[in-house]
Amino acid sequence: LRFLNKYIMFKKADKIIVSYNGAKLIMHQKYGIKWHKLKTIFLPRMRELEFKDIRAGNYKKKFDFIFFGRLEEYKGIDLFIDFVSRNQQFSFCIIGKGSYEKYIPHNDNVFFINGYIDGRELAKCIMQSRCLILPYKTATGTQTIQVANYYGIPVLATNEGCFPEYIQEGVNGYIIKYHTVDSVNQCAEILFNSQLDSKAIKRYFENTFSCTKTIKELFGVL
């Protein structure tokens, strides 16, 4: 598909929209797209995973970290499992399936759902967590940060893809600088010591990922 895009779609397109600025550099260097053709528009919120009643609910924090999605190597699940194994003082909620599911530790501090759950149940698990963690080895654009921020939950993510652009450190989360457990530990310590304000996270979410803003930017390109 990328091969066909390079020789057909990319050449015929007047404008190409990408979901983060880092992708513009990739498009320019790898595919030879001229800068004036490229426009960055952040991916907006995911309304299908937004539930006002759950957001307004009073949920007790049962987990320090939540991870959900495919349990695959590109998502840094091996680093995350190592982090879980070395930190008995933290509690974890892990939801998903994939090739690494058999390596998830069966510890008392790990709540593991080996499968997928509906949006409302996922939202409740997010609300019961202090932080979403995204230890990815590779990434492009995502709406996972948007989902967590809608519920006022901060995000810890590696320095990959859109993450350093979608996360404003000290506001809606922090960036894990290196793919090491020590780096994750340092970032987690900073996060929990800083006690980021849930209302400030929600304001950042509304200002950065609103559908209205996305539509205006799209019309600006057209």
Side-chain angles (χ1 to χ4, degrees), residues 15-221:
K15 296 288 183 182
I16 298 176
I17 299 170
V18 295
S19 59
Y20 63 105
N21 289 312
K24 290 172 68 175
L25 186 62
I26 294 171
M27 294 290 284
H28 178 69
Q29 293 182 340
K30 187 172 182 179
Y31 299 106
I33 308 301
K34 295 180 179 179
W35 285 111
H36 73 271
K37 278 191 172 187
L38 297 166
K39 170 68 176 178
T40 300
I41 299 178
F42 283 2
L43 293 173
R45 62 200 295 171
M46 286 188 70
R47 288 197 177 274
E48 62 267 33
L49 290 179
E50 297 177 5
F51 304 95
K52 291 182 179 179
D53 59 324
I54 295 177
R55 188 192 199 198
N58 185 20
Y59 288 85
K60 182 180 178 181
K61 298 298 183 185
K62 296 170 58 177
F63 313 110
D64 293 305
F65 295 95
I66 183 170
F67 176 99
F68 58 87
R70 294 290 302 170
L71 305 177
E72 303 292 349
E73 184 177 358
Y74 81 94
K75 291 198 172 185
I77 191 65
D78 51 341
L79 171 62
F80 180 59
I81 290 172
D82 198 9
F83 174 65
V84 172
S85 300
R86 296 191 194 185
N87 285 280
Q88 297 295 316
Q89 74 274 23
F90 291 138
S91 55
F92 301 90
C93 177
I94 304 171
I95 304 168
K97 292 182 66 64
S99 59
Y100 274 75
E101 58 192 47
K102 60 185 176 182
Y103 300 112
I104 300 297
H106 295 283
N107 299 337
D108 292 339
N109 64 328
V110 177
F111 176 68
F112 179 35
I113 299 177
N114 188 198
Y116 298 105
I117 58 180
D118 67 36
R120 288 189 63 84
E121 291 305 310
L122 175 60
K124 291 176 183 177
C125 289
I126 293 172
M127 283 290 291
Q128 294 176 86
S129 304
R130 297 175 65 192
C131 171
L132 168 68
I133 186 166
L134 303 172
Y136 287 35
K137 289 183 177 179
T138 61
T140 53
T142 185
Q143 289 175 290
T144 312
I145 293 171
Q146 292 86 316
V147 174
N149 286 177
Y150 170 80
Y151 294 102
I153 306 302
V155 180
L156 285 189
T158 46
N159 193 27
E160 300 292 336
C162 72
F163 297 159
E165 296 180 37
Y166 285 19
I167 293 174
Q168 184 176 336
E169 291 202 296
V171 177
N172 68 322
Y174 288 95
I175 295 296
I176 301 166
K177 307 300 182 186
Y178 306 103
H179 285 272
T180 65
V181 173
D182 286 343
S183 188
V184 179
N185 280 330
Q186 290 169 9
C187 204
E189 183 178 359
I190 292 171
L191 174 72
F192 292 143
N193 286 337
S194 63
Q195 297 182 336
L196 299 185
D197 180 54
S198 177
K199 291 181 179 178
I201 293 173
K202 291 177 182 177
R203 284 195 300 270
Y204 175 85
F205 162 82
E206 296 291 348
N207 292 332
T208 308
F209 303 116
S210 76
C211 291
T212 302
K213 180 180 178 181
T214 300
I215 291 168
K216 287 181 178 179
E217 291 179 341
L218 282 170
F219 273 103
V221 173

Side-chain angles (χ1 to χ4, degrees), residues 1-13 16-17 27 30-33 37:
L1 182 59
R2 290 178 180 175
F3 178 85
L4 290 174
N5 282 340
K6 179 178 180 179
Y7 292 103
I8 300 174
M9 296 300 294
F10 292 166
K11 288 186 177 181
K12 290 181 176 293
I16 298 176
I17 299 170
M27 294 290 284
K30 187 172 182 179
Y31 299 106
I33 308 301
K37 278 191 172 187

